[in-house]
Each structure stands twice: as C-alpha cells, then as structure tokens.
Amino acid sequence: MDNTRKKYTVFSTILIIYAFIVQYLYVGLAIDGLNMLFPALEAKFGWTRAALGVAASIGVYGSVIGLIIAGTLMIKFTVKKILLGVIVLLGADIIFMAGTDSFQGFAVAMVVLQVLALILQVGSIALVTNWFRKKRGTILGIVTIGPPFSTATFVMIGTKVSEAMGYEVFYTGVGVVVLLLGILGIFILKNKPEDIGCGVDGVPLG
C-alpha cells in the first residue's frame, strides 16, 4: 500500500469515527436527552416541561433557517471550517446551559442548541460524502448507527451521572467534550481527500 493510500485510510477512518460521535451527540443532546434534562430542571427550578418544550420547538423551527445559512457558508468556506466552528459554539452553549439559573437564559441556549446540533448532524454527513463514492452507502450506514446507539446509552449514562453529581456536572462535562472535539478536529479532519493528495475513495490524482 503506497503512502498516499495509507494516508487516505487513516484520515477516512478518523472521519468515520468523528462523524459517528457527532451523530451520537446530536440525538443525545437535541432529542433523547431532553427526557432526562427537563424533569431535572422542573424539579430544581419549577420550570414546566411545557415551557421548556416551547423553547426546544422554537429551536427546531429555527434550525431550518440555520441550515440554509450554514449550507451557504459551507459552500463558501468549506464544510470543515463551518462544522468545527459550530462544534465549538455548541460546546460553549452547553456549558452555559448547564450553569444558568435563568429561564430566559436557558431558553435562548436551548434554541441555539437545537439549531447548532442539527447543523452539526447534517454537516458531518456532508463531510463524509466528500470522501466516499463507491462505499458511500455502507459508510453512511455505519455513521448513522450513532443515533440509535445514543438512544440506548446517552440517557442511561446521563441519568446515573446526574443522580450522583447533578445534571449540571453531566452537561458541563459533555460541553467540555464537545469543545475538545472541535479543537481536535482542526488537526485530524480534512475537508476532502484532495487535501492529502488523492481523490475520492483514495484514487490517486493525475
């Protein structure tokens, strides 16, 4: 196996793992995790699940506009740059959300979370499609195991940590992980295989 092919194998494998983690976090943070978070907030602050649900719903609707804007920016600045920017913003948003005791502050953070999480989910798929053609369906199948795996484990893990140390600790930890994921992505992700000297599927250039 020549050096270029080895580099393609390494970077494409890293991308698959990275995209899997992103898909996992999307469902855990924006969908299933709310079933754990909202009761905890209601118990601590008295915020009703209906009011919290409104904030989440606004975020879901807002994500439509967010995706249009993000898609335009991805074309102009590359998928990788927008994806990593969104990851860093999402990490900071989660940390803020975990620490605030203001309903208004939390509501805004929840709207932002919903918008950024969906952009992240779609962006990771877009990045994967840059790298694969022949095995694209198989690779996307692997990556999208992330959501059901998240459904099976995110709430379970989050509930245990929250019961032991509080939801604030759990979500702050998740926010830090997301931030680190964004920083790590600067060094380990490439926007397209041409950036390492080969074409889609590792085909040599020229």
Side-chain angles (χ1 to χ4, degrees):
M1 184 183 293
D2 61 60
N3 187 53
T4 301
R5 185 66 189 181
K6 286 180 181 178
K7 286 174 65 177
Y8 176 84
T9 300
V10 169
F11 279 102
S12 62
T13 301
I14 289 172
L15 173 59
I16 292 169
I17 296 170
Y18 198 96
F20 178 93
I21 294 171
V22 165
Q23 296 290 316
Y24 179 94
L25 289 171
Y26 164 67
V27 170
L29 290 168
I31 302 174
D32 292 338
L34 303 185
N35 295 322
M36 169 189 66
L37 180 60
F38 285 4
L41 292 167
E42 187 173 30
K44 183 173 182 177
F45 298 112
W47 302 341
T48 67
R49 299 186 199 187
L52 293 167
V54 169
S57 296
I58 292 172
V60 171
Y61 292 123
S63 63
V64 176
I65 298 173
L67 278 174
I68 294 172
I69 296 172
T72 302
L73 293 175
M74 285 177 187
I75 293 172
K76 185 174 182 179
F77 297 106
T78 77
V79 175
K80 175 186 171 180
K81 288 181 181 179
I82 301 306
L83 187 68
L84 295 183
V86 167
I87 292 176
V88 170
L89 289 174
L90 179 61
D93 183 67
I94 296 166
I95 293 171
F96 171 81
M97 191 174 70
T100 186
D101 58 2
S102 162
F103 176 78
Q104 291 79 7
F106 179 87
V108 171
M110 176 54 61
V111 170
V112 172
L113 182 146
Q114 293 292 333
V115 174
L116 295 181
L118 187 57
I119 293 172
L120 192 59
Q121 189 258 353
V122 173
S124 67
I125 295 297
L127 199 59
V128 168
T129 60
N130 281 351
W131 281 73
F132 301 95
R133 182 176 295 119
K134 292 181 180 178
K135 296 183 179 180
R136 183 177 294 171
T138 301
I139 300 303
L140 289 176
I142 294 171
V143 168
T144 52
I145 293 172
F149 186 62
S150 180
T151 296
T153 60
F154 187 90
V155 173
M156 177 183 67
I157 296 170
T159 299
K160 290 183 177 180
V161 174
S162 297
E163 288 176 349
M165 294 180 284
Y167 78 88
E168 302 95 335
V169 173
F170 175 70
Y171 275 92
T172 298
V174 172
V176 170
V177 169
V178 173
L179 276 175
L180 292 176
L181 196 64
I183 295 170
L184 187 62
I186 296 172
F187 305 101
I188 66 173
L189 293 182
K190 300 295 182 182
N191 190 63
K192 52 187 178 180
E194 287 83 358
D195 294 338
I196 59 169
C198 62
V200 177
D201 296 327
V203 176
L205 295 175

Short mmCIF file of all heavy atoms in Angstrom, two decimals, residues 122-181:
data_model
loop_
_atom_site.label_atom_id
_atom_site.label_comp_id
_atom_site.label_asym_id
_atom_site.label_seq_id
_atom_site.Cartn_x
_atom_site.Cartn_y
_atom_site.Cartn_z
N VAL A 122 -26.07 17.43 10.04
CA VAL A 122 -26.07 17.48 8.57
C VAL A 122 -24.66 17.70 8.03
O VAL A 122 -24.24 17.10 7.04
CB VAL A 122 -27.03 18.58 8.08
CG1 VAL A 122 -26.92 18.76 6.56
CG2 VAL A 122 -28.47 18.25 8.47
N GLY A 123 -23.90 18.56 8.71
CA GLY A 123 -22.54 18.86 8.26
C GLY A 123 -21.63 17.65 8.29
O GLY A 123 -20.79 17.47 7.41
N SER A 124 -21.78 16.81 9.30
CA SER A 124 -20.94 15.61 9.38
C SER A 124 -21.23 14.66 8.23
O SER A 124 -20.31 14.04 7.68
CB SER A 124 -21.15 14.91 10.72
OG SER A 124 -22.46 14.38 10.84
N ILE A 125 -22.49 14.56 7.84
CA ILE A 125 -22.86 13.73 6.69
C ILE A 125 -22.27 14.31 5.41
O ILE A 125 -21.74 13.59 4.55
CB ILE A 125 -24.39 13.62 6.57
CG1 ILE A 125 -24.98 12.88 7.76
CG2 ILE A 125 -24.77 12.92 5.27
CD1 ILE A 125 -24.54 11.44 7.90
N ALA A 126 -22.33 15.64 5.29
CA ALA A 126 -21.77 16.30 4.10
C ALA A 126 -20.28 16.05 3.99
O ALA A 126 -19.75 15.82 2.89
CB ALA A 126 -22.06 17.80 4.16
N LEU A 127 -19.59 16.07 5.12
CA LEU A 127 -18.15 15.83 5.12
C LEU A 127 -17.83 14.40 4.69
O LEU A 127 -16.91 14.16 3.91
CB LEU A 127 -17.57 16.11 6.50
CG LEU A 127 -16.06 16.35 6.59
CD1 LEU A 127 -15.65 17.54 5.72
CD2 LEU A 127 -15.66 16.60 8.04
N VAL A 128 -18.63 13.46 5.16
CA VAL A 128 -18.43 12.05 4.79
C VAL A 128 -18.61 11.86 3.28
O VAL A 128 -17.84 11.15 2.63
CB VAL A 128 -19.40 11.13 5.56
CG1 VAL A 128 -19.42 9.73 4.97
CG2 VAL A 128 -19.00 11.06 7.04
N THR A 129 -19.61 12.51 2.72
CA THR A 129 -19.87 12.34 1.28
C THR A 129 -18.75 12.91 0.42
O THR A 129 -18.62 12.55 -0.75
CB THR A 129 -21.21 12.99 0.87
OG1 THR A 129 -21.19 14.38 1.17
CG2 THR A 129 -22.37 12.34 1.61
N ASN A 130 -17.94 13.82 1.00
CA ASN A 130 -16.78 14.34 0.27
C ASN A 130 -15.72 13.26 0.04
O ASN A 130 -14.90 13.38 -0.87
CB ASN A 130 -16.13 15.49 1.05
CG ASN A 130 -16.86 16.81 0.91
OD1 ASN A 130 -17.78 16.93 0.10
ND2 ASN A 130 -16.48 17.79 1.70
N TRP A 131 -15.73 12.24 0.88
CA TRP A 131 -14.64 11.28 0.90
C TRP A 131 -14.95 9.93 0.25
O TRP A 131 -14.05 9.21 -0.13
CB TRP A 131 -14.22 11.03 2.35
CG TRP A 131 -13.35 12.12 2.89
CD1 TRP A 131 -13.74 13.39 3.23
CD2 TRP A 131 -11.95 12.05 3.10
NE1 TRP A 131 -12.66 14.11 3.65
CE2 TRP A 131 -11.54 13.32 3.59
CE3 TRP A 131 -11.00 11.05 2.94
CZ2 TRP A 131 -10.22 13.61 3.91
CZ3 TRP A 131 -9.68 11.34 3.28
CH2 TRP A 131 -9.30 12.60 3.75
N PHE A 132 -16.24 9.60 0.13
CA PHE A 132 -16.60 8.27 -0.35
C PHE A 132 -17.60 8.34 -1.50
O PHE A 132 -18.50 9.17 -1.50
CB PHE A 132 -17.22 7.44 0.79
CG PHE A 132 -16.31 7.27 1.98
CD1 PHE A 132 -16.40 8.13 3.07
CD2 PHE A 132 -15.36 6.26 2.02
CE1 PHE A 132 -15.57 7.99 4.17
CE2 PHE A 132 -14.52 6.11 3.12
CZ PHE A 132 -14.63 6.98 4.19
N ARG A 133 -17.41 7.43 -2.47
CA ARG A 133 -18.38 7.29 -3.55
C ARG A 133 -18.85 5.85 -3.65
O ARG A 133 -20.03 5.57 -3.49
CB ARG A 133 -17.77 7.76 -4.88
CG ARG A 133 -18.76 7.68 -6.04
CD ARG A 133 -18.19 8.24 -7.34
NE ARG A 133 -17.91 9.67 -7.26
CZ ARG A 133 -16.71 10.20 -7.42
NH1 ARG A 133 -15.66 9.43 -7.65
NH2 ARG A 133 -16.52 11.50 -7.34
N LYS A 134 -17.94 4.93 -3.90
CA LYS A 134 -18.32 3.53 -4.09
C LYS A 134 -18.95 2.91 -2.84
O LYS A 134 -19.91 2.15 -2.93
CB LYS A 134 -17.09 2.70 -4.49
CG LYS A 134 -16.55 3.02 -5.88
CD LYS A 134 -15.35 2.15 -6.22
CE LYS A 134 -14.81 2.46 -7.60
NZ LYS A 134 -13.61 1.65 -7.93
N LYS A 135 -18.40 3.24 -1.69
CA LYS A 135 -18.89 2.66 -0.44
C LYS A 135 -19.66 3.67 0.41
O LYS A 135 -19.79 3.51 1.61
CB LYS A 135 -17.72 2.09 0.37
CG LYS A 135 -17.00 0.94 -0.33
CD LYS A 135 -15.90 0.37 0.55
CE LYS A 135 -15.20 -0.80 -0.14
NZ LYS A 135 -14.12 -1.37 0.70
N ARG A 136 -20.17 4.70 -0.26
CA ARG A 136 -20.84 5.77 0.48
C ARG A 136 -22.02 5.24 1.30
O ARG A 136 -22.18 5.61 2.47
CB ARG A 136 -21.32 6.85 -0.49
CG ARG A 136 -21.96 8.05 0.20
CD ARG A 136 -22.33 9.11 -0.83
NE ARG A 136 -21.15 9.67 -1.47
CZ ARG A 136 -21.19 10.48 -2.52
NH1 ARG A 136 -22.36 10.79 -3.07
NH2 ARG A 136 -20.08 10.97 -3.04
N GLY A 137 -22.83 4.39 0.72
CA GLY A 137 -23.98 3.86 1.43
C GLY A 137 -23.57 3.08 2.67
O GLY A 137 -24.17 3.21 3.74
N THR A 138 -22.54 2.26 2.52
CA THR A 138 -22.05 1.47 3.66
C THR A 138 -21.52 2.37 4.76
O THR A 138 -21.81 2.17 5.95
CB THR A 138 -20.94 0.50 3.21
OG1 THR A 138 -21.46 -0.36 2.19
CG2 THR A 138 -20.43 -0.33 4.37
N ILE A 139 -20.72 3.35 4.38
CA ILE A 139 -20.12 4.25 5.37
C ILE A 139 -21.20 5.06 6.08
O ILE A 139 -21.16 5.23 7.31
CB ILE A 139 -19.10 5.20 4.70
CG1 ILE A 139 -17.98 4.39 4.04
CG2 ILE A 139 -18.54 6.16 5.73
CD1 ILE A 139 -17.24 3.45 4.95
N LEU A 140 -22.16 5.57 5.33
CA LEU A 140 -23.24 6.32 5.96
C LEU A 140 -24.05 5.43 6.90
O LEU A 140 -24.54 5.88 7.94
CB LEU A 140 -24.15 6.94 4.90
CG LEU A 140 -23.55 8.10 4.09
CD1 LEU A 140 -24.52 8.55 3.01
CD2 LEU A 140 -23.19 9.27 5.00
N GLY A 141 -24.19 4.16 6.53
CA GLY A 141 -24.88 3.21 7.39
C GLY A 141 -24.16 3.05 8.72
O GLY A 141 -24.78 2.99 9.79
N ILE A 142 -22.84 2.98 8.67
CA ILE A 142 -22.03 2.87 9.90
C ILE A 142 -22.17 4.12 10.75
O ILE A 142 -22.39 4.06 11.96
CB ILE A 142 -20.55 2.61 9.54
CG1 ILE A 142 -20.39 1.25 8.87
CG2 ILE A 142 -19.67 2.71 10.80
CD1 ILE A 142 -19.01 1.01 8.30
N VAL A 143 -22.03 5.27 10.10
CA VAL A 143 -22.09 6.54 10.82
C VAL A 143 -23.44 6.74 11.49
O VAL A 143 -23.52 7.20 12.64
CB VAL A 143 -21.80 7.71 9.85
CG1 VAL A 143 -22.14 9.04 10.49
CG2 VAL A 143 -20.34 7.68 9.41
N THR A 144 -24.50 6.36 10.79
CA THR A 144 -25.85 6.60 11.33
C THR A 144 -26.30 5.53 12.31
O THR A 144 -27.45 5.52 12.74
CB THR A 144 -26.88 6.73 10.19
OG1 THR A 144 -26.77 5.60 9.30
CG2 THR A 144 -26.64 8.01 9.40
N ILE A 145 -25.39 4.65 12.72
CA ILE A 145 -25.65 3.80 13.88
C ILE A 145 -25.56 4.65 15.15
O ILE A 145 -26.12 4.31 16.19
CB ILE A 145 -24.65 2.63 13.94
CG1 ILE A 145 -24.88 1.67 12.77
CG2 ILE A 145 -24.77 1.86 15.26
CD1 ILE A 145 -23.82 0.59 12.64
N GLY A 146 -24.88 5.79 15.03
CA GLY A 146 -24.71 6.69 16.17
C GLY A 146 -26.01 7.07 16.85
O GLY A 146 -26.11 6.99 18.09
N PRO A 147 -27.05 7.51 16.11
CA PRO A 147 -28.31 7.90 16.76
C PRO A 147 -28.98 6.80 17.58
O PRO A 147 -29.31 7.03 18.74
CB PRO A 147 -29.17 8.36 15.58
CG PRO A 147 -28.17 8.92 14.62
CD PRO A 147 -27.00 7.98 14.71
N PRO A 148 -29.21 5.60 17.02
CA PRO A 148 -29.84 4.57 17.87
C PRO A 148 -28.96 4.15 19.05
O PRO A 148 -29.47 3.81 20.12
CB PRO A 148 -30.07 3.40 16.90
CG PRO A 148 -29.19 3.64 15.74
CD PRO A 148 -29.07 5.13 15.63
N PHE A 149 -27.64 4.17 18.85
CA PHE A 149 -26.74 3.85 19.95
C PHE A 149 -26.86 4.91 21.04
O PHE A 149 -26.81 4.60 22.24
CB PHE A 149 -25.30 3.76 19.45
CG PHE A 149 -24.32 3.29 20.48
CD1 PHE A 149 -24.43 2.03 21.04
CD2 PHE A 149 -23.29 4.11 20.89
CE1 PHE A 149 -23.53 1.60 22.01
CE2 PHE A 149 -22.37 3.70 21.84
CZ PHE A 149 -22.50 2.44 22.41
N SER A 150 -27.03 6.16 20.63
CA SER A 150 -27.24 7.25 21.58
C SER A 150 -28.54 7.06 22.35
O SER A 150 -28.59 7.24 23.57
CB SER A 150 -27.26 8.59 20.84
OG SER A 150 -27.45 9.66 21.75
N THR A 151 -29.59 6.68 21.62
CA THR A 151 -30.88 6.42 22.27
C THR A 151 -30.75 5.36 23.36
O THR A 151 -31.36 5.46 24.42
CB THR A 151 -31.92 5.98 21.22
OG1 THR A 151 -32.13 7.05 20.30
CG2 THR A 151 -33.24 5.61 21.89
N ALA A 152 -29.91 4.37 23.09
CA ALA A 152 -29.76 3.25 24.03
C ALA A 152 -28.87 3.59 25.23
O ALA A 152 -29.00 2.95 26.28
CB ALA A 152 -29.18 2.04 23.30
N THR A 153 -27.99 4.60 25.08
CA THR A 153 -26.99 4.81 26.13
C THR A 153 -26.92 6.21 26.73
O THR A 153 -26.56 6.37 27.90
CB THR A 153 -25.58 4.46 25.60
OG1 THR A 153 -25.28 5.31 24.47
CG2 THR A 153 -25.51 3.00 25.17
N PHE A 154 -27.22 7.26 25.95
CA PHE A 154 -26.99 8.63 26.42
C PHE A 154 -27.79 8.94 27.69
O PHE A 154 -27.23 9.43 28.68
CB PHE A 154 -27.33 9.63 25.32
CG PHE A 154 -26.96 11.06 25.66
CD1 PHE A 154 -25.71 11.56 25.32
CD2 PHE A 154 -27.84 11.91 26.31
CE1 PHE A 154 -25.34 12.87 25.63
CE2 PHE A 154 -27.50 13.21 26.63
CZ PHE A 154 -26.24 13.69 26.28
N VAL A 155 -29.08 8.68 27.65
CA VAL A 155 -29.93 8.99 28.80
C VAL A 155 -29.56 8.12 29.99
O VAL A 155 -29.55 8.58 31.14
CB VAL A 155 -31.42 8.82 28.44
CG1 VAL A 155 -32.30 8.97 29.69
CG2 VAL A 155 -31.82 9.86 27.40
N MET A 156 -29.23 6.87 29.72
CA MET A 156 -28.85 5.96 30.80
C MET A 156 -27.61 6.48 31.53
O MET A 156 -27.58 6.57 32.76
CB MET A 156 -28.58 4.57 30.24
CG MET A 156 -28.11 3.56 31.28
SD MET A 156 -27.71 1.96 30.56
CE MET A 156 -26.25 2.38 29.59
N ILE A 157 -26.58 6.83 30.76
CA ILE A 157 -25.35 7.35 31.36
C ILE A 157 -25.61 8.69 32.03
O ILE A 157 -25.18 8.93 33.17
CB ILE A 157 -24.25 7.51 30.28
CG1 ILE A 157 -23.87 6.15 29.71
CG2 ILE A 157 -23.03 8.22 30.87
CD1 ILE A 157 -22.99 6.23 28.48
N GLY A 158 -26.33 9.57 31.34
CA GLY A 158 -26.62 10.89 31.88
C GLY A 158 -27.42 10.83 33.17
O GLY A 158 -27.18 11.61 34.10
N THR A 159 -28.37 9.92 33.24
CA THR A 159 -29.19 9.78 34.44
C THR A 159 -28.35 9.34 35.63
O THR A 159 -28.47 9.87 36.74
CB THR A 159 -30.32 8.77 34.20
OG1 THR A 159 -31.17 9.25 33.14
CG2 THR A 159 -31.17 8.59 35.46
N LYS A 160 -27.47 8.38 35.40
CA LYS A 160 -26.62 7.89 36.50
C LYS A 160 -25.69 8.98 37.01
O LYS A 160 -25.53 9.15 38.22
CB LYS A 160 -25.82 6.67 36.03
CG LYS A 160 -26.67 5.42 35.82
CD LYS A 160 -25.81 4.23 35.43
CE LYS A 160 -26.68 2.98 35.29
NZ LYS A 160 -25.87 1.78 34.91
N VAL A 161 -25.07 9.72 36.07
CA VAL A 161 -24.17 10.80 36.47
C VAL A 161 -24.95 11.91 37.17
O VAL A 161 -24.51 12.45 38.20
CB VAL A 161 -23.41 11.36 35.26
CG1 VAL A 161 -22.58 12.57 35.66
CG2 VAL A 161 -22.52 10.30 34.64
N SER A 162 -26.10 12.25 36.63
CA SER A 162 -26.91 13.33 37.20
C SER A 162 -27.41 12.98 38.60
O SER A 162 -27.45 13.84 39.48
CB SER A 162 -28.10 13.63 36.28
OG SER A 162 -27.65 14.10 35.02
N GLU A 163 -27.81 11.73 38.79
CA GLU A 163 -28.28 11.31 40.11
C GLU A 163 -27.15 11.34 41.14
O GLU A 163 -27.37 11.64 42.31
CB GLU A 163 -28.88 9.91 40.04
CG GLU A 163 -30.22 9.87 39.33
CD GLU A 163 -30.76 8.46 39.19
OE1 GLU A 163 -29.99 7.49 39.45
OE2 GLU A 163 -31.94 8.30 38.82
N ALA A 164 -25.94 11.06 40.68
CA ALA A 164 -24.79 11.03 41.59
C ALA A 164 -24.21 12.42 41.85
O ALA A 164 -23.82 12.73 42.99
CB ALA A 164 -23.71 10.11 41.02
N MET A 165 -24.15 13.27 40.80
CA MET A 165 -23.46 14.55 40.92
C MET A 165 -24.25 15.75 40.45
O MET A 165 -23.80 16.89 40.59
CB MET A 165 -22.14 14.47 40.14
CG MET A 165 -21.14 13.48 40.71
SD MET A 165 -19.58 13.43 39.76
CE MET A 165 -20.10 12.49 38.32
N GLY A 166 -25.41 15.53 39.86
CA GLY A 166 -26.22 16.63 39.36
C GLY A 166 -26.14 16.75 37.85
O GLY A 166 -25.10 16.46 37.25
N TYR A 167 -27.25 17.19 37.24
CA TYR A 167 -27.27 17.32 35.78
C TYR A 167 -26.26 18.36 35.31
O TYR A 167 -25.73 18.28 34.20
CB TYR A 167 -28.68 17.68 35.29
CG TYR A 167 -29.04 19.13 35.49
CD1 TYR A 167 -28.73 20.09 34.52
CD2 TYR A 167 -29.69 19.56 36.65
CE1 TYR A 167 -29.05 21.43 34.72
CE2 TYR A 167 -30.01 20.89 36.84
CZ TYR A 167 -29.69 21.83 35.88
OH TYR A 167 -30.00 23.15 36.06
N GLU A 168 -25.97 19.36 36.19
CA GLU A 168 -25.02 20.41 35.82
C GLU A 168 -23.64 19.83 35.52
O GLU A 168 -22.98 20.25 34.56
CB GLU A 168 -24.90 21.44 36.95
CG GLU A 168 -26.21 22.09 37.33
CD GLU A 168 -26.88 21.38 38.51
OE1 GLU A 168 -26.62 20.18 38.71
OE2 GLU A 168 -27.66 22.05 39.21
N VAL A 169 -23.23 18.88 36.34
CA VAL A 169 -21.92 18.26 36.15
C VAL A 169 -21.90 17.46 34.85
O VAL A 169 -20.94 17.53 34.08
CB VAL A 169 -21.58 17.33 37.35
CG1 VAL A 169 -20.30 16.54 37.06
CG2 VAL A 169 -21.44 18.15 38.62
N PHE A 170 -22.98 16.71 34.62
CA PHE A 170 -23.04 15.90 33.40
C PHE A 170 -22.97 16.78 32.16
O PHE A 170 -22.16 16.54 31.25
CB PHE A 170 -24.31 15.06 33.38
CG PHE A 170 -24.50 14.30 32.09
CD1 PHE A 170 -23.67 13.23 31.77
CD2 PHE A 170 -25.49 14.66 31.19
CE1 PHE A 170 -23.82 12.54 30.58
CE2 PHE A 170 -25.65 13.98 30.00
CZ PHE A 170 -24.82 12.91 29.69
N TYR A 171 -23.80 17.81 32.10
CA TYR A 171 -23.85 18.63 30.89
C TYR A 171 -22.61 19.52 30.74
O TYR A 171 -22.18 19.80 29.61
CB TYR A 171 -25.13 19.47 30.86
CG TYR A 171 -26.28 18.69 30.27
CD1 TYR A 171 -27.13 17.95 31.08
CD2 TYR A 171 -26.47 18.63 28.89
CE1 TYR A 171 -28.16 17.20 30.53
CE2 TYR A 171 -27.50 17.88 28.34
CZ TYR A 171 -28.34 17.16 29.17
OH TYR A 171 -29.34 16.40 28.62
N THR A 172 -22.02 19.93 31.85
CA THR A 172 -20.76 20.66 31.74
C THR A 172 -19.69 19.75 31.16
O THR A 172 -18.90 20.16 30.29
CB THR A 172 -20.30 21.17 33.13
OG1 THR A 172 -21.28 22.09 33.63
CG2 THR A 172 -18.94 21.87 33.03
N GLY A 173 -19.67 18.50 31.62
CA GLY A 173 -18.72 17.53 31.08
C GLY A 173 -18.92 17.29 29.59
O GLY A 173 -17.96 17.23 28.82
N VAL A 174 -20.19 17.17 29.18
CA VAL A 174 -20.49 16.97 27.77
C VAL A 174 -20.04 18.19 26.97
O VAL A 174 -19.47 18.07 25.88
CB VAL A 174 -21.99 16.71 27.55
CG1 VAL A 174 -22.33 16.70 26.06
CG2 VAL A 174 -22.40 15.38 28.17
N GLY A 175 -20.29 19.38 27.50
CA GLY A 175 -19.87 20.61 26.82
C GLY A 175 -18.37 20.67 26.63
O GLY A 175 -17.89 21.07 25.56
N VAL A 176 -17.63 20.26 27.64
CA VAL A 176 -16.17 20.25 27.54
C VAL A 176 -15.72 19.25 26.48
O VAL A 176 -14.82 19.53 25.67
CB VAL A 176 -15.53 19.91 28.90
CG1 VAL A 176 -14.04 19.66 28.75
CG2 VAL A 176 -15.78 21.04 29.90
N VAL A 177 -16.36 18.08 26.45
CA VAL A 177 -16.03 17.07 25.45
C VAL A 177 -16.28 17.61 24.04
O VAL A 177 -15.47 17.41 23.13
CB VAL A 177 -16.84 15.78 25.68
CG1 VAL A 177 -16.71 14.83 24.49
CG2 VAL A 177 -16.38 15.07 26.94
N VAL A 178 -17.40 18.30 23.86
CA VAL A 178 -17.74 18.86 22.56
C VAL A 178 -16.71 19.92 22.15
O VAL A 178 -16.26 19.96 21.00
CB VAL A 178 -19.17 19.46 22.56
CG1 VAL A 178 -19.45 20.20 21.26
CG2 VAL A 178 -20.20 18.35 22.76
N LEU A 179 -16.33 20.76 23.09
CA LEU A 179 -15.29 21.76 22.80
C LEU A 179 -13.98 21.11 22.38
O LEU A 179 -13.35 21.52 21.39
CB LEU A 179 -15.04 22.62 24.04
CG LEU A 179 -15.97 23.81 24.28
CD1 LEU A 179 -15.65 24.46 25.63
CD2 LEU A 179 -15.87 24.84 23.17
N LEU A 180 -13.57 20.09 23.12
CA LEU A 180 -12.34 19.37 22.79
C LEU A 180 -12.44 18.69 21.43
O LEU A 180 -11.47 18.62 20.67
CB LEU A 180 -12.02 18.35 23.88
CG LEU A 180 -11.63 18.92 25.25
CD1 LEU A 180 -11.44 17.80 26.26
CD2 LEU A 180 -10.36 19.75 25.14
N LEU A 181 -13.64 18.20 21.11
CA LEU A 181 -13.87 17.56 19.82
C LEU A 181 -13.66 18.58 18.69
O LEU A 181 -13.08 18.26 17.65
CB LEU A 181 -15.29 17.00 19.77
CG LEU A 181 -15.63 15.99 18.68
CD1 LEU A 181 -14.81 14.71 18.85
CD2 LEU A 181 -17.13 15.65 18.72
#
